């Protein structure tokens, strides 16, 4: 019997944090240690979901509760794969499960009404995150970033968001013009890897 920290326990811990906190930063701080434990569970992600896709990063929904108050999503980055600059419009945590990624952070500056372009994106930092590291996003000022895997090894990240971001409109930003366009980034799996914590599904964890 495995003693590793299971998604079922994580679900209970996240729900407790969400019941006790409302502001994004407190929610992130509350969930962070639990995500840290979840990242140590080597059985969390079934083998068939660990392979990168040829064209772009893969995005797999692991689990979301019925009320969609949060979601757990795995991102798999093949060597050389990169995301556009994007926002999330909700709190989120990014935990590295395997390999490493480079994350660039941006802040949107309002140049004022009548200015052309109205908004400008400024790069405010770059970090290399490796297995066990956890970063976070939340609007309005810590919400825009890009992610890349410039390394030779596949990178896998486990993300936790305050909604199912596979169904919500958010934005891709153009760093040259400051313009943004609507996008919905759908999951690559039709049904969550963990549909419930009963029977066979939970045995996977
Ligand atoms: Fe992101």
């Amino acid at each position: 019997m495995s003693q590793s920290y299971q998604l079922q326990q994580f679900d209970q811990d996240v729900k407790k944090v969400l019941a006790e906190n409302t502001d994004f930063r407190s929610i992130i701080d509350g969930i962070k240690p639990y995500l840290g434990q979840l990242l140590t569970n080597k059985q969390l992600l079934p083998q068939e979901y660990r392979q990168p896709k040829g064209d772009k990063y893969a995005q797999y929904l692991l689990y979301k509760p019925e009320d969609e108050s949060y979601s757990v999503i795995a991102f798999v980055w093949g060597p050389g794969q990169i995301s556009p600059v994007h926002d999330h419009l909700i709190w989120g945590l990014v935990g590295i499960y395997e390999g490493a990624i480079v994350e660039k952070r941006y802040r949107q500056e309002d140049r004022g009404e009548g200015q052309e372009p109205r908004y400008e994106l400024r790069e405010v930092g770059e970090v290399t995150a490796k297995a066990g590291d956890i970063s976070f996003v939340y609007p309005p000022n810590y919400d825009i970033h890009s992610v890349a895997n410039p390394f030779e090894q596949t990178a896998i990240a486990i993300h936790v968001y305050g909604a199912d971001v596979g169904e919500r409109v958010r934005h891709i930003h153009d760093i040259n013009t400051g313009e943004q366009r609507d996008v919905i980034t759908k999951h690559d799996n039709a049904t969550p890897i963990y549909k419930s914590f009963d029977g066979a599904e939970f045995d996977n964890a």
Side-chain angles (χ1 to χ4, degrees):
M1 180 96 162
S2 166
Q3 294 301 306
S4 64
Y5 184 76
Q6 307 282 349
L7 192 59
Q8 185 176 34
Q9 182 64 48
F10 182 76
D11 180 54
Q12 290 176 19
D13 292 333
V14 169
K15 283 175 175 161
K16 192 159 174 283
V17 171
L18 294 177
E20 290 170 356
N21 298 277
T22 52
D23 76 276
F24 290 167
R25 187 55 196 259
S26 303
I27 290 170
I28 288 165
D29 290 343
I31 293 174
K32 194 175 174 184
Y34 300 124
L35 178 57
Q37 290 187 66
L38 194 65
L39 293 175
T40 67
N41 180 339
K42 295 301 166 207
Q43 275 75 50
L44 179 69
L45 195 60
Q47 206 59 40
E48 66 257 42
Y49 296 100
R50 295 178 184 224
Q51 307 308 318
K53 297 202 307 174
D55 52 344
K56 67 189 274 285
Y57 65 86
Q59 174 184 326
Y60 299 117
L61 177 63
L62 268 92
Y63 173 74
K64 62 178 175 181
E66 241 168 61
D67 66 1
E68 300 195 1
S69 54
Y70 80 97
S71 64
V72 184
I73 303 168
F75 285 79
V76 183
W77 304 85
Q81 290 181 340
I82 185 164
S83 80
V85 177
H86 62 273
D87 61 25
H88 311 80
L89 309 179
I90 191 71
W91 61 264
L93 297 96
V94 178
I96 310 302
Y97 189 64
E98 254 181 46
I101 57 164
V102 174
E103 184 190 17
K104 277 189 185 178
R105 312 289 301 215
Y106 298 88
R107 193 157 301 176
Q108 187 178 52
E109 283 172 7
D110 187 345
R111 300 172 71 237
E113 218 166 314
Q115 294 295 315
E116 212 37 69
R118 170 79 187 260
Y119 296 101
E120 197 170 58
L121 275 191
R122 195 161 58 86
E123 191 181 321
V124 292
E126 177 180 309
V127 291
T128 296
K130 55 187 189 328
D133 290 346
I134 296 173
S135 71
F136 55 83
V137 291
Y138 64 96
N141 286 338
Y142 297 92
D143 198 32
I144 304 174
H145 73 171
S146 67
V147 176
N149 175 11
F151 307 108
E152 287 175 14
Q153 188 193 345
T154 296
I156 302 176
I158 304 295
H159 298 214
V160 184
Y161 296 107
D164 182 356
V165 295
E167 293 181 349
R168 287 165 52 115
V169 175
R170 48 197 178 121
H171 307 106
I172 285 178
H173 296 256
D174 185 321
I175 52 171
N176 296 314
T177 64
E179 285 176 359
Q180 58 187 48
R181 62 179 173 87
D182 291 352
V183 67
I184 297 176
T185 57
K186 291 188 184 309
H187 306 303
D188 289 312
N189 52 340
T191 52
I193 297 170
Y194 295 88
K195 289 178 276 298
S196 73
F197 297 119
D198 304 325
E201 272 104 18
F202 183 55
D203 290 342
N204 225 348

